[in-house]
Amino acid sequence: MSQSRTYQVRTYGCQMNVHDSERLSGLLEDAGYARAAEDTAADIVVFNTCAVRENADNRLYGNLGHLRPVKDANPGMQIAVGGCLAQKDRGEIVRRAPWVDVVFGTHNIGSLPTLLERARVQREAQVEIAEALEHFPSTLPSRRESAYAAWVSISVGCNNTCTFCIVPALRGKEKDRRPGDVLAEVRALVEEGVTEVTLLGQNVNAYGSEFGDRQAFSKLLRACGEIEGLERVRFTSPHPRDFTDDVIEAMAQTPNVMPQLHMPLQSGSSKVLKDMRRSYRQERFLGIVEKVRAAMPQAAITTDIIVGFPGETEEDFEQTLHVVRESRFAMAFTFQYSKRPGTPAATMDDQVPPEVVKERYQRLVALQDQISWEENQKLIGREVELMVSEGEGKKDGEHRRLSGRAPDNRLVHFAVGDSEEPRPGDMVTVEVTYAAPHHLVADSGIRNLRRTRAGDAWDARQGKPVQVSKPDVLLGMPKIGVPEEQPAPVGGCCDA
């Protein structure tokens, strides 16, 4: 195989898919392929698909259709389709799009280079869908997108049976990694310069169920707190059913576990939750929110909500609005219910008319935007420490703005002014000057810049000479006296 062949991976869906795509890129580079430059045609295009939304099929086949004339003009080009939609549709993809060369499932992403070579030699499509996990994603080579932040998979699959969700059928039963393997990967990442990790699982706080330790997840969080150089730990997505007090205590007592919680609600109606087979009720969800706020007043809580699930009445929807008002979510990812073939909900009676779903959805979004804006306004005048991020905001020429994430994962666009420009992965302290529903602005200048090993790692990726950063570089005058109590800096999968 020529060393000059290039690849491109197009990712759809949740953080699990993002992590899998990093592995697919690593596998291809291990096999001798090079990442295609921006705005150039790649020799190999890989679609890592999602099957959660109703239009996922249309989106995939539309994109495949756009590539057909490109491939016709470049006979050596190969197209591969993987991920949840590939696991679901299997041979149907090649039937509908016979110009596809490889179809592989969620359990055998490690087979991609072999399948591509086999398709090239045999000159026929290769479809390989494993029914069980071949390799844990984190045991495969990786080309990580970020030098400073990394996904770490602690489990794959899901043992729940939510009636709207097709993920368990496509990802399989839950499989847990041993804690020692997880921590070894985290330590290795920190050695490479990573300072933030996000622990991933379809149902992340059910971790340990496979090896019989109900407190395995809280122990894992505490163990992450003992890793020197690891500044920020996040996780997604937990299930309210499995959210125990020991996890809340571990979050509150482990300094590098961030004050952020993304916990899917789906519906505020206990009746709808029962129909969804969500195994908790409104009271249970609100009780967890209350405990989290008591332990971490500064925590930002975000959620997922489905509007228009079959049988949802106006009264049921009002219960969802009630939970939104009570919970004061920093942000909510809201979805209009759509049928997924193969799920129990798709054949339920009392499907809600689309116009009713749309009207309710608009009311929910308006309410949540108002709450998000009000919560963000409370942060005006507060200092927050940001990890400078890459690709999350456009540089503003007039203000020299960059972007970063607060501990609670709120997105903040901040002005650099005449200060030294920080690198992605560096830490800056800024004062919030403006609030919008989905972001904050800090135009008061950088109060403190801390150059980090993560920033050094980013420099190394750019081919820049790396000088080991000093612990702190102060810009501007430090404040005198006792620091003010910090408010909620905040945060944004698979749903559990």
Side-chain angles (χ1 to χ4, degrees), residues 51-52 84 88 162-172 340-343:
V52 171
C84 288
K88 179 175 77 73
C162 301
T163 55
F164 57 81
C165 185
I166 199 168
V167 167
L170 304 178
R171 293 264 181 188
R340 296 310 295 137
T343 62

Side-chain angles (χ1 to χ4, degrees), residues 40-57:
T40 62
D43 297 308
I44 295 166
V45 178
V46 183
F47 291 90
N48 190 8
T49 63
C50 172
V52 171
R53 306 303 298 158
E54 186 176 28
N55 65 356
D57 309 57

Side-chain angles (χ1 to χ4, degrees), residues 180-233:
D181 292 340
V182 174
L183 293 170
E185 183 182 355
V186 174
R187 292 190 188 98
L189 289 167
V190 172
E191 284 295 315
E192 294 171 10
V194 167
T195 54
E196 175 180 300
V197 299
T198 301
L199 305 177
L200 278 183
Q202 233 84 40
N203 184 4
V204 73
N205 57 332
Y207 176 72
S209 61
E210 191 182 16
F211 48 83
D213 185 352
R214 292 182 60 83
Q215 294 194 336
F217 186 59
S218 62
K219 292 174 184 176
L220 186 63
L221 291 177
R222 292 183 187 277
C224 286
E226 297 173 3
I227 297 177
E228 186 176 353
L230 180 60
E231 298 201 25
R232 292 184 170 190
V233 178

Side-chain angles (χ1 to χ4, degrees), residues 189-324:
L189 289 167
V190 172
E191 284 295 315
E192 294 171 10
V194 167
T195 54
E196 175 180 300
V197 299
T198 301
L199 305 177
L200 278 183
Q202 233 84 40
N203 184 4
V204 73
N205 57 332
Y207 176 72
S209 61
E210 191 182 16
F211 48 83
D213 185 352
R214 292 182 60 83
Q215 294 194 336
F217 186 59
S218 62
K219 292 174 184 176
L220 186 63
L221 291 177
R222 292 183 187 277
C224 286
E226 297 173 3
I227 297 177
E228 186 176 353
L230 180 60
E231 298 201 25
R232 292 184 170 190
V233 178
R234 307 186 190 276
F235 59 88
T236 193
S237 287
H239 193 295
R241 181 197 65 189
D242 301 303
F243 213 98
T244 49
D245 290 349
D246 61 295
V247 172
I248 297 173
E249 291 167 5
M251 292 176 67
Q253 295 168 7
T254 310
N256 65 355
V257 175
M258 293 294 95
Q260 172 214 348
L261 172 63
H262 181 76
M263 185 169 63
L265 167 65
Q266 305 305 6
S267 174
S269 162
S270 292
K271 169 189 162 296
V272 172
L273 289 170
K274 181 180 179 181
D275 292 342
M276 289 179 168
R277 287 193 206 143
R278 287 293 287 175
S279 67
Y280 58 89
R281 301 296 176 258
Q282 181 190 109
E283 297 75 15
R284 163 76 172 155
F285 188 94
L286 289 174
I288 295 170
V289 170
E290 184 178 358
K291 287 180 180 179
V292 170
R293 296 227 188 274
M296 296 171 285
Q298 79 280 28
I301 301 175
T302 59
T303 197
D304 296 334
I305 300 173
I306 296 172
V307 178
F309 186 80
E312 180 188 77
T313 64
E314 179 63 24
E315 183 180 354
D316 292 324
F317 178 66
E318 285 294 338
Q319 289 299 305
T320 294
L321 297 181
H322 167 71
V323 175
V324 169

